[in-house]
Amino acid sequence: DVYKRQNQSCAHLTTNDSYQNIYQSMIDDTDPEKGFQIIFTNGDIYTPTDNYNFSLKIWCDPQQENVKQLNWSLTGASLKLEISSKYGCPRVNPSQIWGFIANNQWLFAICSISMGIVLCFFGYRLITISFFLLGFCLSFVPIMYIFFAFFVSDTTSGTVKWIVCLVSLAIGAAVGFICVKLEKVGFFSIGFGLAYVGANVLYVAFLSSINVSHPEVLFFIIWILGGFACGYLVSKFPIFWVVTTSSLYGSYLIVKPVLSAIADLPNEFEIAKMIQIGQTDSIPGIVYVYVVCLILFALAGFIVQVRMKIQRERGGGASDTYYNMQDKGEAGALEIEEPTRR
C-alpha cells in the first residue's frame, strides 16, 4: 500500500506483515449493516513522532454492484478513503438478536436472574434442575443467535421474531430434558458452562491481542475444547465442579442483565476489541464493577452451597429430594437420596 507524493516518490502506508498493525471493525458497532472499516498503521516515517496510516471505510450499499468512491482526504500522515459497495454488507447480522433482547430487556432480565439465583445458590442441592438450566441456556442462546443472524432482518415482523424465539426455547428445553435424563450429557452441560466463563476471561485478557484476522474464532475453539475437558473433570469429581460451575455461571446470569439494564455495559467482544486496538483507557468503569460483582456473587454462591452441603451431612434435615454425590472417581456417581420424612 503506497501513496504517491507530489515529488513522485512513494510512502508505504503500512508494514508488509499480513496482520500486524492492521485493524478491522464495524463502522458502527451497534449496527453492522452500515458497513466496516480497515485501518492500516505503522507506515513510513512522516515525522519523528508520527507514521503514515491509511483508513478505508466500506459503506454497505446492496444496490452497488462494484465500488463507488464517496470521499477521500489526506491530513498530515493520515489518508482516508470512503467507498460504497454491496461487499460492505454483512452476510449475517448478529445485531438483530441484541435488538430483540433490548426491546424485551426486562423480560429476559427477569428470566436470567431467576435462573441465575437457582444455579448460583442451589446448583448442587437441586442438581437435576441445574442440569436442565445449563443444558437449556447453552443451547437456547446459540440457536436463537443463529436463527436471528441468518434469517431475521430489519423488515421481519415482531410476530415472526417471537416465533423464532419460541422455537429456540422449545429446542433448548428439549436439550435440557436430555441433560436430565442422560447423566453424562448433564455432566458435560456443566462442563461447557464452566468453559464458557473461562473462555470469556481468556478472550478478554489474552486471545483478543493475538495478531490473527478473526480472534473471536479462538474464543469458540477454546470454549468447545474446554467444554469437553471440563465435562470430563465434572464426571470424575462432580461435587467440587458442580458447586464451582453453578456458582460461576449463576453469577454471570445474575450480574450481566442487572448491569446491562442500569448502565451501558459493553459485551465481551466489544471489551476485547478495545484491548486489541490499545484503547484500554476507553473501557468504561462499569466493566470493572461488572468483574468485581461477578467474583463476589460467585464466591457467595460457592460458600452458600458448601454450607448447605455441610449442614446436610450433619443432619440439617433438608426435606427436598436431591442427589447425594460421591467422588468415586468415575462417571455415574450420582445416587438419589429419598426425602427425609418428618
Side-chain angles (χ1 to χ4, degrees), residues 17-24 199 202-219 221-222 272-273 275-278:
D17 194 289
S18 299
Y19 298 115
Q20 187 178 11
N21 304 310
I22 301 176
Y23 305 101
Q24 306 173 51
L202 287 174
Y203 180 78
V204 172
F206 305 108
L207 299 180
S208 61
S209 60
I210 298 176
N211 291 319
V212 295
S213 58
H214 298 287
E216 63 274 9
V217 174
L218 291 177
F219 166 81
I221 293 176
I222 294 296
K273 179 62 68 175
I275 296 174
Q276 182 183 21
I277 64 178

Side-chain angles (χ1 to χ4, degrees), residues 18-322:
S18 299
Y19 298 115
Q20 187 178 11
N21 304 310
I22 301 176
Y23 305 101
Q24 306 173 51
S25 65
M26 297 294 105
I27 294 176
D28 184 350
D29 287 335
T30 63
D31 186 6
E33 290 191 350
K34 287 186 177 180
F36 69 97
Q37 60 185 347
I38 307 175
I39 300 175
F40 303 85
T41 63
N42 200 28
D44 288 349
I45 296 175
Y46 178 70
T47 67
T49 59
D50 198 8
N51 291 63
Y52 278 97
N53 60 84
F54 174 47
S55 173
L56 174 63
K57 283 187 178 181
I58 306 178
W59 294 89
C60 171
D61 184 354
Q63 308 302 321
Q64 185 65 43
E65 290 292 332
N66 297 311
V67 174
K68 179 181 178 181
Q69 179 176 315
L70 301 178
N71 187 27
W72 79 277
S73 65
L74 176 63
T75 305
S78 299
L79 175 64
K80 297 181 180 180
L81 175 63
E82 296 186 33
I83 62 176
S84 64
S85 173
K86 69 176 184 179
Y87 300 107
C89 302
R91 293 184 178 181
V92 297
N93 188 3
S95 67
Q96 291 295 330
I97 188 172
W98 306 127
F100 179 76
I101 292 175
N103 293 334
N104 303 277
Q105 187 176 52
W106 289 106
L107 175 61
F108 281 97
I110 291 172
C111 294
S112 178
I113 293 170
S114 300
M115 292 187 293
I117 290 173
V118 172
L119 287 171
C120 189
F121 300 105
F122 304 97
Y124 169 71
R125 178 171 176 175
L126 305 176
I127 184 64
T128 51
I129 296 178
S130 296
F131 279 171
F132 177 84
L133 290 180
L134 283 167
F136 171 80
C137 291
L138 294 173
S139 55
F140 166 68
V141 175
I143 289 170
M144 192 168 75
Y145 182 92
I146 293 171
F147 282 163
F148 270 79
F150 285 92
F151 306 113
V152 174
S153 65
D154 291 332
T155 59
T156 304
S157 67
T159 301
V160 173
K161 291 180 180 180
W162 273 109
I163 292 175
V164 170
C165 179
L166 293 175
V167 170
S168 303
L169 189 149
I171 296 175
V175 174
F177 181 77
I178 293 173
C179 290
V180 172
K181 291 298 183 181
L182 301 180
E183 184 180 288
K184 290 186 178 180
V185 178
F187 281 137
F188 277 89
S189 70
I190 292 178
F192 272 87
L194 178 62
Y196 177 80
V197 177
N200 267 301
V201 173
L202 287 174
Y203 180 78
V204 172
F206 305 108
L207 299 180
S208 61
S209 60
I210 298 176
N211 291 319
V212 295
S213 58
H214 298 287
E216 63 274 9
V217 174
L218 291 177
F219 166 81
F220 290 104
I221 293 176
I222 294 296
W223 180 24
I224 293 171
L225 295 180
F228 285 106
C230 291
Y232 176 78
L233 287 175
V234 173
S235 68
K236 289 294 184 180
F237 310 101
I239 295 176
F240 174 78
W241 289 109
V242 167
V243 173
T244 301
T245 303
S246 59
S247 58
L248 281 171
Y249 202 76
S251 173
Y252 178 84
L253 291 177
I254 295 171
V255 175
K256 183 68 180 285
V258 171
L259 293 185
S260 297
I262 65 178
D264 187 17
L265 178 66
N267 61 48
E268 290 79 3
F269 295 108
E270 292 172 338
I271 298 171
K273 179 62 68 175
M274 294 177 189
I275 296 174
Q276 182 183 21
I277 64 178
Q279 294 182 350
T280 53
D281 294 338
S282 301
I283 298 177
I286 191 65
V287 172
Y288 301 101
V289 175
Y290 167 63
V291 174
V292 171
C293 289
L294 276 179
I295 296 173
L296 291 177
F297 269 89
L299 284 175
F302 186 88
I303 293 171
V304 168
Q305 292 193 57
V306 170
R307 282 189 172 184
M308 292 175 69
K309 182 181 184 301
I310 293 174
Q311 289 176 357
R312 174 171 173 264
E313 290 177 345
R314 291 177 178 175
S319 59
D320 296 329
T321 299
Y322 57 98

